[in-house]
């Protein structure tokens, strides 16, 4: 049964690949007739490490000859970052920027310390059995690296060991609905974990750092093009308020990397780059799937890895006791009950499902399409992870996919994301059931909770986006239908909608004036459809009891003026590949305040120019 049948272009895909070993796992979910049926018809930067010094406007860097990234990470230890609290002679304390050496930070290595590792430390591509990681040093060659961008926000969070234990994680996953076996960190190497003053755990990872045992036939490197996209979108999503991995900094390597961007037999050399990305954990659904897939011998690793995640990232579940009485009816015909206090793994799985549902609802709210929702790209913390061919909606099209690889079936299109999230949760639940951590009833309840959480979150988000006093299915469904018919810009429309006044005396021929800039080239019939909708919308607003000014402020706080449209990324990439990193830094600053007007920056809210629809801009492949 589909979660959102009206919003999906592939009604058969939801459980087509469920493991036959747990065929009884099926979500018993009600139908959610939420979206209109129309949709089913479509399917100033500090210096950082690696002898990088920002000289001149372009931030040119100097480094002696050629080196590998392990020397880069060594030099990182000599850099200083962070804040310390200093008192100013009284009771008041003030935060002053104070530099701190990396070796003075509170490094921790829980993943390596507590989980089984690969006895080998070479980077030869191979199957890695009975292990959650392989110790491997970065090996990407660098020559005259340049600092492209730096996130002050992430640096402040980290409070940036000489004994770091770099490693690459082992995981598997379903890719486009098919089990792909071992995948793993093929070009990402984790340096270690930092515990900051708030006792928050942050994992630092270099992406594009060289080969690992999980690189398969690839080179373990990354290009500047994709690295800029990941850096900027990680930070843009954070400032939109959406859970995400973060990015501390981005440097070019000074080397070239060969990539066939369109998989058309025409490879070319592109500038190489490395992103230092940051998350409290990079554990994915596939981190558990790989061990369950290897049979009885490795099922204990699933439990060990689950215990690790709960102990470090879901401590409230570890400390849960029966007095909390977390018992719920499953909705089955026999009205059976699931008691989450009696099984911490069931409680954990439910929270993973709810975090995932909340994340997908937030994506839908801002018009974000991930593009590659394979299970190895699904975070157990409910974070947006692995930015590849992503895209924010321009013209509203429920069947939009930014991934050229996804074009034949549009499995990962915007409309399908809620159902794909459920499908992925089903794979995760099947894995835990195979390891005897949850039973079939609990697994079904996990999926049920995903559906309920998604609908609750999404309806609340859309209600706020429209400034409505309460959820109104008819108003929202008709609006989305109109937007799809007229291909209205998703971001700009909701921003403009806050200008509509709750005044029933406005003449009909003036009703669309506040929306004139976003309702382009509509004929008489479509104009009448929009007038009808605005009249209904105004009637609904009249019952809110708040002023137009107050409603506008509330709506603008949830409807961004600026999102990281693909053409904005491409403009920054084009300049950066010529050695000018100014546009990357401007976009970073712009995206730190997406809900503010930011006078003088209006051009960044414009509709995409004609060139933005060329291949490699509005749509991309997975090649990076």
């Amino acid at each position: 049964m589909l979660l959102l049948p009206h919003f999906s272009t592939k009604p058969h895909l939801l459980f087509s690949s469920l493991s036959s070993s747990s065929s009884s796992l099926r979500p018993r979910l009600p139908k959610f007739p939420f979206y209109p049926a129309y949709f089913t018809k479509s399917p100033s930067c500090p210096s950082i490490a690696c002898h990088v010094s920002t000289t001149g406007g372009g931030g040119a860097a100097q480094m002696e000859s050629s080196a590998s990234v392990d020397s880069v990470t060594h030099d990182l230890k000599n850099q200083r970052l962070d804040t310390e609290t200093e008192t100013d002679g009284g009771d008041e304390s003030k935060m002053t920027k104070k530099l701190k050496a990396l070796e003075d930070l509170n490094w921790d290595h829980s993943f390596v310390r507590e989980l089984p590792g690969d006895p080998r430390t070479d980077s030869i591509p191979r199957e890695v059995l009975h292990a959650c990681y392989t110790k491997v040093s970065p090996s990407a060659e660098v020559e005259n690296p340049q600092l492209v961008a730096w996130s002050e926000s992430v640096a402040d969070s980290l409070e940036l060991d000489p004994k770091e234990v770099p490693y690459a994680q082992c995981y598997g996953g379903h890719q486009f609905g098919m089990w792909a076996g071992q995948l793993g960190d093929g070009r990402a190497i984790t340096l270690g974990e930092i515990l900051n003053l708030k006792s928050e755990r942050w994992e630092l990872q270099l992406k594009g750092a060289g080969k690992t045992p999980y690189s398969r036939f690839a080179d373990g490197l990354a290009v500047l093009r994709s690295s800029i996209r990941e850096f900027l979108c990680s930070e843009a999503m954070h400032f939109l308020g959406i859970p995400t991995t973060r990015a501390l900094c981005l440097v070019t390597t000074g080397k070239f990397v060969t990539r066939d961007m369109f998989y058309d037999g025409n490879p070319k050399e592109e500038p190489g780059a490395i992103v230092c990305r940051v998350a409290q954990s990079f554990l994915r659904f596939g981190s558990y799937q790989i061990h369950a897939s290897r049979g009885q011998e490795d099922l204990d690793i699933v439990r060990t890895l689950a215990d690790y995640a709960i102990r470090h990232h879901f401590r409230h579940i570890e400390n849960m006791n029966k007095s909390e009485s977390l018992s719920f009816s499953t909705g089955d015909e026999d009205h059976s009950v699931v008691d989450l206090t009696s099984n911490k793994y069931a409680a954990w799985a439910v929270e993973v499902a709810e975090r995932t549902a909340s994340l997908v609802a937030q994506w839908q709210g801002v018009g974000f399409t991930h593009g590659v929702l394979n299970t190895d790209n699904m975070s157990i913390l409910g974070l947006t992870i692995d930015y590849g061919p992503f895209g924010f909606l321009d013209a509203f099209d429920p069947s939009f996919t930014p991934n050229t690889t996804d074009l034949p079936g549009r499995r990962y299109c915007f409309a399908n994301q809620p159902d794909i999230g459920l499908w992925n949760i089903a794979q995760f639940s099947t894995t835990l059931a195979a390891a005897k951590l949850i039973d079939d009833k609990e697994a079904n309840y996990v999926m049920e909770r995903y559906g309920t959480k998604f609908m609750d979150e999404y309806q609340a988000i859309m209600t706020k986006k429209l400034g409505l006093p309460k959820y109104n299915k008819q108003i929202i469904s008709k609006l989305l239908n109109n937007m799809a018919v007229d291909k209205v810009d998703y971001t700009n429309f909701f921003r403009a909608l806050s200008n509509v006044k709750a005044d029933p005396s406005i003449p009909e021929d003036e009703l669309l004036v506040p929306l004139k800039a976003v309702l382009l080239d509509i004929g008489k019939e479509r104009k009448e459809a929009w007038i009808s909708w605005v009249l209904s919308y105004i009637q609904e607003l009249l019952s809110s009891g708040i002023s137009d000014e107050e409603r506008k402020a509330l709506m603008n706080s949830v409807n961004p003026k600026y999102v990281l449209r693909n053409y904005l990324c491409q403009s920054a990439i084009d300049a950066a590949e010529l050695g000018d990193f100014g546009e990357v830094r401007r976009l970073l600053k712009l995206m730190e305040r997406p809900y503010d007007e930011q006078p003088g920056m209006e051009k960044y809210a414009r509709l995409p120019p004609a060139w933005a629809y060329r291949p490699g801009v509005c749509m991309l492949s997975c090649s990076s």
Side-chain angles (χ1 to χ4, degrees):
M1 184 179 295
L2 288 179
L3 178 61
L4 297 174
H6 44 278
F7 204 45
S8 177
T9 60
K10 277 286 187 181
H12 62 278
L13 62 78
L14 186 54
F15 294 101
S16 59
S17 302
L18 273 175
S19 168
S20 58
S21 63
S22 294
S23 59
S24 62
L25 300 187
R26 297 290 188 274
R28 296 176 175 84
L29 298 171
K31 289 187 177 180
F32 298 99
F34 178 56
Y35 301 95
Y38 170 87
F39 290 167
T40 60
K41 297 178 183 178
S42 334
S44 104
C45 296
S47 62
I48 174 175
C50 24
H51 299 304
V52 173
S53 59
T54 54
T55 60
Q62 303 298 322
M63 183 175 185
E64 295 178 4
S65 66
S66 178
S68 64
V69 179
D70 53 356
S71 67
V72 170
T73 56
H74 173 78
D75 294 327
L76 261 168
K77 294 180 290 187
N78 297 323
Q79 302 301 311
R80 295 173 174 271
L81 276 188
D82 212 70
T83 59
E84 285 187 357
T85 303
E86 289 187 348
T87 57
D88 197 48
D91 294 334
E92 295 282 343
S93 68
K94 63 178 181 179
M95 297 299 289
T96 59
K97 287 284 181 183
K98 191 138 187 176
L99 300 174
K100 182 186 290 186
L102 277 182
E103 54 262 37
D104 295 331
L105 294 174
N106 187 13
W107 284 83
D108 190 34
H109 308 291
S110 64
F111 198 90
V112 171
R113 185 174 63 246
E114 300 176 24
L115 297 171
D118 181 3
R120 289 172 55 176
T121 59
D122 61 87
S123 60
I124 299 172
R126 53 193 160 81
E127 186 176 31
V128 177
L129 300 174
H130 322 310
C132 296
Y133 64 89
T134 301
K135 294 181 181 178
V136 58
S137 294
S139 60
E141 291 187 351
V142 295
E143 183 176 345
N144 298 324
Q146 293 178 283
L147 177 64
V148 177
W150 171 279
S151 172
E152 289 283 0
S153 173
V154 177
D156 287 344
S157 298
L158 295 178
E159 303 165 3
L160 286 157
D161 165 29
K163 299 184 180 67
E164 75 254 7
V165 187
Y167 66 87
Q169 190 187 148
C170 179
Y171 51 81
H174 282 85
Q175 298 193 325
F176 295 91
M178 303 296 292
W179 177 246
Q182 177 179 293
L183 299 168
D185 287 334
R187 56 177 173 166
I189 296 177
T190 294
L191 299 180
E193 304 156 45
I194 289 174
L195 293 174
N196 67 12
L197 294 176
K198 299 177 183 177
S199 296
E200 295 171 334
R201 182 178 300 276
W202 293 100
E203 188 175 317
L204 271 65
Q205 189 177 84
L206 299 181
K207 187 172 182 179
K211 282 188 176 183
T212 76
Y214 313 103
S215 298
R216 292 174 285 176
F217 301 106
D219 55 21
L221 306 176
V223 297
L224 182 60
R225 163 176 51 85
S226 61
S227 300
I228 286 175
R229 287 173 55 82
E230 171 140 12
F231 179 88
L232 287 176
C233 203
S234 299
E235 293 307 282
M237 292 291 273
H238 170 74
F239 288 104
L240 283 168
I242 298 175
T244 178
T245 58
R246 304 291 303 277
L248 172 62
C249 61
L250 164 62
V251 297
T252 61
T253 62
K255 294 287 188 176
F256 284 91
V257 178
T258 302
R259 286 290 181 267
D260 186 351
M261 182 176 176
F262 299 109
Y263 299 131
D264 60 359
N266 293 298
K268 71 171 187 175
E269 287 194 331
E270 299 186 48
I274 298 172
V275 176
C276 181
R277 60 182 189 174
V278 179
Q280 292 186 316
S281 174
F282 285 97
L283 281 169
R284 307 125 186 281
F285 292 5
S287 303
Y288 298 83
Q289 288 181 282
I290 185 62
H291 304 297
S293 74
R294 288 172 168 168
Q296 193 66 37
E297 188 176 1
D298 280 6
L299 286 180
D300 283 347
I301 298 180
V302 178
R303 180 183 297 270
T304 299
L305 202 52
D307 288 339
Y308 171 85
I310 294 170
R311 181 164 59 251
H312 290 289
H313 304 291
F314 298 82
R315 287 187 225 170
H316 55 287
I317 291 177
E318 186 79 41
N319 299 327
M320 187 172 59
N321 59 67
K322 290 186 179 294
S323 66
E324 296 178 38
S325 187
L326 294 175
S327 298
F328 302 93
S329 171
T330 62
D332 292 343
E333 292 180 2
D334 60 357
H335 301 292
S336 55
V337 172
V338 170
D339 178 12
L340 298 183
T341 58
S342 65
N343 183 0
K344 69 177 182 179
Y345 302 112
W348 173 58
V350 165
E351 183 161 342
V352 171
E354 291 190 340
R355 288 191 186 194
T356 303
S358 178
L359 175 67
V360 176
Q362 291 178 77
W363 289 349
Q364 303 301 105
V366 297
F368 176 79
T369 309
H370 184 282
V372 201
L373 285 180
N374 299 326
T375 56
D376 56 295
N377 294 336
M378 299 293 293
S379 161
I380 65 162
L381 299 185
L383 306 176
T384 314
I385 190 172
D386 288 345
Y387 292 91
F390 65 83
F392 285 88
L393 290 173
D394 295 317
F396 183 55
D397 175 7
S399 69
F400 168 70
T401 177
N403 186 354
T404 56
T405 312
D406 191 38
L407 274 179
R410 296 181 185 266
R411 175 185 176 86
Y412 295 143
C413 73
F414 179 75
N416 281 353
Q417 289 185 136
D419 282 327
I420 291 297
L422 176 58
W423 194 91
N424 289 343
I425 285 293
Q427 310 314 310
F428 183 65
S429 299
T430 299
T431 295
L432 300 186
K436 309 296 186 197
L437 301 185
I438 60 177
D439 59 29
D440 286 357
K441 184 186 300 182
E442 290 166 334
N444 277 313
Y445 182 67
V446 168
M447 292 182 276
E448 185 178 317
R449 286 303 305 161
Y450 173 94
T452 302
K453 182 68 172 179
F454 174 80
M455 291 308 301
D456 288 348
E457 290 281 324
Y458 188 77
Q459 290 179 8
I461 288 169
M462 295 306 293
T463 299
K464 290 176 182 178
K465 286 180 75 67
L466 273 72
L468 297 172
K470 61 182 183 300
Y471 173 68
N472 186 310
K473 173 186 173 181
Q474 185 175 0
I475 290 284
I476 296 172
S477 295
K478 186 60 177 176
L479 170 62
L480 295 178
N481 200 334
N482 283 344
M483 291 177 68
V485 169
D486 294 311
K487 301 190 183 304
V488 178
D489 187 84
Y490 191 84
T491 301
N492 290 355
F493 177 84
F494 282 107
R495 190 72 177 191
L497 188 62
S498 66
N499 295 320
V500 172
K501 307 294 184 185
D503 181 358
S505 68
I506 298 175
E508 278 197 11
D509 61 352
E510 296 179 16
L511 283 174
L512 300 185
V513 171
L515 304 176
K516 182 178 180 180
V518 292
L519 298 182
L520 306 173
D521 302 322
I522 59 173
K524 181 179 178 182
E525 183 180 343
R526 295 305 305 152
K527 185 176 180 181
E528 290 174 354
W530 278 103
I531 288 174
S532 174
W533 182 83
V534 172
L535 285 170
S536 300
Y537 177 59
I538 288 175
Q539 286 300 315
E540 191 70 13
L541 293 181
L542 289 172
S543 64
S544 67
I546 64 174
S547 67
D548 290 332
E549 292 74 19
E550 184 180 354
R551 184 182 65 258
K552 178 181 175 67
L554 290 172
M555 291 175 66
N556 285 352
S557 72
V558 297
N559 292 316
K561 179 162 184 173
Y562 304 100
V563 294
L564 191 67
R565 299 175 187 262
N566 274 340
Y567 86 89
L568 297 178
C569 270
Q570 191 60 45
S571 294
I573 290 166
D574 290 344
E577 289 183 337
L578 296 175
D580 179 4
F581 308 137
E583 190 65 9
V584 174
R585 296 168 186 173
R586 276 188 291 275
L587 278 178
L588 176 60
K589 288 301 180 185
L590 180 76
M591 296 302 159
E592 287 177 351
R593 295 191 292 127
Y595 299 99
D596 295 350
E597 288 294 329
Q598 301 193 55
M601 306 300 283
E602 290 84 1
K603 69 176 184 179
Y604 292 100
R606 291 175 185 166
L607 298 179
W611 63 263
Y613 295 97
R614 74 172 192 251
V617 181
C618 63
M619 295 187 70
L620 302 98
S621 73
C622 296
S623 176
S624 57

